Amino acid sequence: MSKGALSRRARKIKPSPTLSIDAKAKAMKSAGVDIINFGVGEPDFDTPGYIKKAAVKAIQDGFTKYTPVGGIVELKDAVIKRLKDDHGLSYSRQEIVISCGGKHALYNLAQALFDKGDEVIIPAPYWVSYPPIVELAGAKPVIIETREEDGFDLDVSALEKMITPRTKAIILNSPSNPTGSVFSAKTLRQMGNLVQNHNCYVISDDIYEKIRFDGKKPVNLLSLNPKLKEKVFILNGVSKTYAMTGWRIGYLAGPADIISALTNIQSQSTSNPTSIAQKAAVAALNGPDSFITKMVSVFKERRDYIVKRLKAIPDVTCVKPQGAFYAFPNVSAYYFRGYKGRKITNSIALCDYLLEEARLAVVPGVAFGDDRHIRFSFATSMENIAKGMDRFKEALKKLS
Ligand SMILES: Cc1ncc(COP(=O)(O)O)c(C=O)c1O
């Protein structure tokens, strides 16, 4: 196929770096290499049995046909109940859409909301998919840096200065992938005031909201400023909370007219999310929280351990993650050192070195908009984390 055959859009887009590191690590593992994979973005827990049972029942009951494009009523109602119970927010069915994963809901929202020339403000470090999803809709990502010294919290007055008449939306993600940081209540209140005074939307990506280590209830921009409902979209899904990444169910709550346009876009691409997975998601959202509590306590133990190990390595700094299952250490002190004639110049070079020399799969920070860092997912066993940290420490020690 000649290069000219591809659309300009397709030529610009790169594969998700987190998924490609994971694929590389899995390929090495199946070739017999003893790889420790810190690249994964999914819980290493099985989907709870009662959720699987609901899916099996859906199959046995013949619930295997097209459903309404934007999701079954039962699932929309389960989402509405969650938003009420968790955030005190009231939504109607017209304000909810169910998509094939949170990523799909965000993609469709971008298609429904953004035009060429629109700007979308994204705090860095950011989830890898935000800029490409914005660009695929023809809009321009505008990146605002957050600082390690501030625990990656947002400087709202700096963000306000970046707002222009073309700013269509701001994307917030808390707890964050890749830093695990949680925005402070002060930041969310300041953001609320800012949004009130400007003509733009906020997309609150709450996908990790239940994976928090401080024991606090989930909080987002709207729970603190409910009057902003017409300007805020809440993005969430069952992937991370219920270890259901493969089931592909995400959801979005927002103004009814935009949710309706988004549903039309969905109707011309995927149609409804899988009927069986929707039934499983109903069981997940309406079920007990005991699975989440257990998973979070395991993640917390690993978080404490990995941060302790990372901080004990000379010249490595690491902000303690408050949620999600990632640690994002700053390793830039090791740049411009080398080993056996190989120079480490950036996060990609370091991750290549770690993969080849230490058999560690880690994601380069540049993929998240900060080249000084690398991302470790601790969604892997304590034994792997301990072995991996030994290898990491040794590999950095060899660099001179
Ligand atoms: C910050 C963030 N948002 C959204 C998603 C989307 O998850 P899914 O499409 O599995 O619902 C992910 C997955 O990695 C994520 O890390």
Side-chain angles (χ1 to χ4, degrees):
M1 184 178 65
S2 74
K3 201 177 160 207
L6 291 175
S7 69
R8 234 174 296 156
R9 197 182 318 114
R11 266 179 274 156
K12 253 177 51 185
I13 216 75
K14 294 182 212 84
S16 158
T18 43
L19 294 184
S20 42
I21 290 269
D22 193 40
K24 214 163 157 181
K26 280 179 179 148
M28 284 172 81
K29 195 166 191 135
S30 58
V33 183
D34 161 35
I35 271 276
I36 297 176
N37 192 352
F38 286 107
V40 280
E42 59 186 354
D44 55 323
F45 289 79
D46 196 6
T47 306
Y50 65 92
I51 298 176
K52 290 182 182 175
K53 268 196 197 130
V56 171
K57 182 169 182 320
I59 295 172
Q60 284 166 343
D61 290 351
F63 194 75
T64 51
K65 304 285 164 54
Y66 292 135
T67 76
V69 169
I72 55 175
V73 162
E74 219 184 331
L75 182 50
K76 285 193 176 190
D77 287 350
V79 168
I80 289 168
K81 186 171 181 318
R82 275 285 165 187
L83 289 165
K84 186 80 191 165
D85 293 353
D86 294 343
H87 295 286
L89 298 168
S90 301
Y91 281 94
S92 65
R93 290 174 190 158
Q94 289 72 31
E95 295 169 304
I96 306 288
V97 65
I98 313 295
S99 301
C100 312
K103 189 186 271 187
H104 184 226
L106 182 64
Y107 181 87
N108 287 349
L109 176 63
Q111 295 293 321
L113 207 54
F114 305 146
D115 268 323
K116 194 167 184 312
D118 287 343
E119 294 175 358
V120 180
I121 300 180
I122 302 173
Y126 45 73
W127 179 41
V128 291
S129 291
Y130 295 146
I133 285 176
V134 166
E135 282 168 351
L136 278 166
K140 184 177 154 206
V142 175
I143 308 300
I144 174 166
E145 311 261 323
T146 62
R147 289 151 32 108
E148 191 182 0
E149 304 86 277
D150 302 334
F152 298 109
D153 204 359
L154 252 186
D155 178 344
V156 177
S157 55
L159 187 145
E160 186 155 26
K161 290 195 189 103
M162 298 177 88
I163 295 184
T164 75
R166 290 184 300 275
T167 305
K168 192 72 186 270
I170 302 162
I171 304 182
L172 299 182
N173 175 217
S174 174
S176 148
N177 176 4
T179 66
S181 296
V182 171
F183 290 135
S184 63
K186 183 172 157 229
T187 297
L188 291 176
R189 283 212 180 83
Q190 288 174 340
M191 276 302 299
N193 293 336
L194 177 146
V195 175
Q196 211 161 9
N197 298 328
H198 292 276
N199 185 24
C200 65
Y201 293 99
V202 169
I203 302 167
S204 180
D205 181 347
D206 296 356
I207 203 106
Y208 296 100
E209 69 169 4
K210 293 285 175 93
I211 306 176
R212 281 183 71 145
F213 307 126
D214 53 11
K216 290 194 186 146
K217 263 176 69 99
V219 64
N220 62 29
L221 186 67
L222 264 192
S223 32
L224 295 179
N225 310 271
K227 60 182 180 296
L228 293 175
K229 208 178 138 200
E230 285 307 302
K231 286 183 153 184
V232 178
F233 293 91
I234 308 268
L235 177 71
N236 210 325
V238 296
S239 283
K240 318 284 177 175
T241 316
Y242 302 97
M244 291 177 71
T245 44
W247 298 75
R248 311 309 304 131
I249 295 291
Y251 54 86
L252 190 77
D257 51 343
I258 299 165
I259 293 293
S260 162
L262 190 165
T263 308
N264 287 343
I265 289 172
Q266 189 157 298
S267 78
Q268 300 297 5
S269 50
T270 54
S271 297
N272 62 273
T274 309
S275 59
I276 302 152
Q278 288 190 69
K279 285 283 190 185
V282 170
L285 292 173
N286 287 340
D289 275 352
S290 45
F291 168 78
I292 308 170
T293 312
K294 169 89 197 342
M295 180 173 71
V296 171
S297 78
V298 172
F299 281 149
K300 182 174 185 296
E301 210 179 306
R302 294 178 189 166
R303 186 276 312 253
D304 292 344
Y305 178 74
I306 196 168
V307 170
K308 193 172 96 199
R309 292 290 311 263
L310 287 167
K311 283 187 168 173
I313 299 173
D315 301 324
V316 171
T317 55
C318 186
V319 170
K320 197 172 188 178
Q322 300 302 313
F325 38 76
Y326 309 106
F328 198 56
N330 184 332
V331 288
S332 57
Y334 286 86
Y335 295 173
F336 301 102
R337 300 188 195 181
Y339 176 65
K340 286 189 182 163
R342 167 184 203 148
K343 254 237 155 1
I344 304 299
T345 48
N346 54 30
S347 62
I348 294 182
L350 183 65
C351 288
D352 279 344
Y353 166 72
L354 291 173
L355 194 61
E356 285 160 34
E357 277 296 321
R359 291 159 287 126
L360 293 178
V362 186
V363 187
V366 70
F368 308 96
D370 195 331
D371 199 28
R372 292 164 293 185
H373 297 252
I374 57 178
R375 191 194 76 176
F376 288 82
S377 158
F378 46 86
T380 185
S381 70
M382 203 62 148
E383 191 192 346
N384 276 344
I385 298 172
K387 204 155 72 165
M389 285 299 111
D390 291 344
R391 288 188 193 175
F392 182 54
K393 186 174 142 198
E394 281 313 301
L396 288 186
K397 208 158 124 192
K398 284 184 196 163
L399 294 172
S400 58

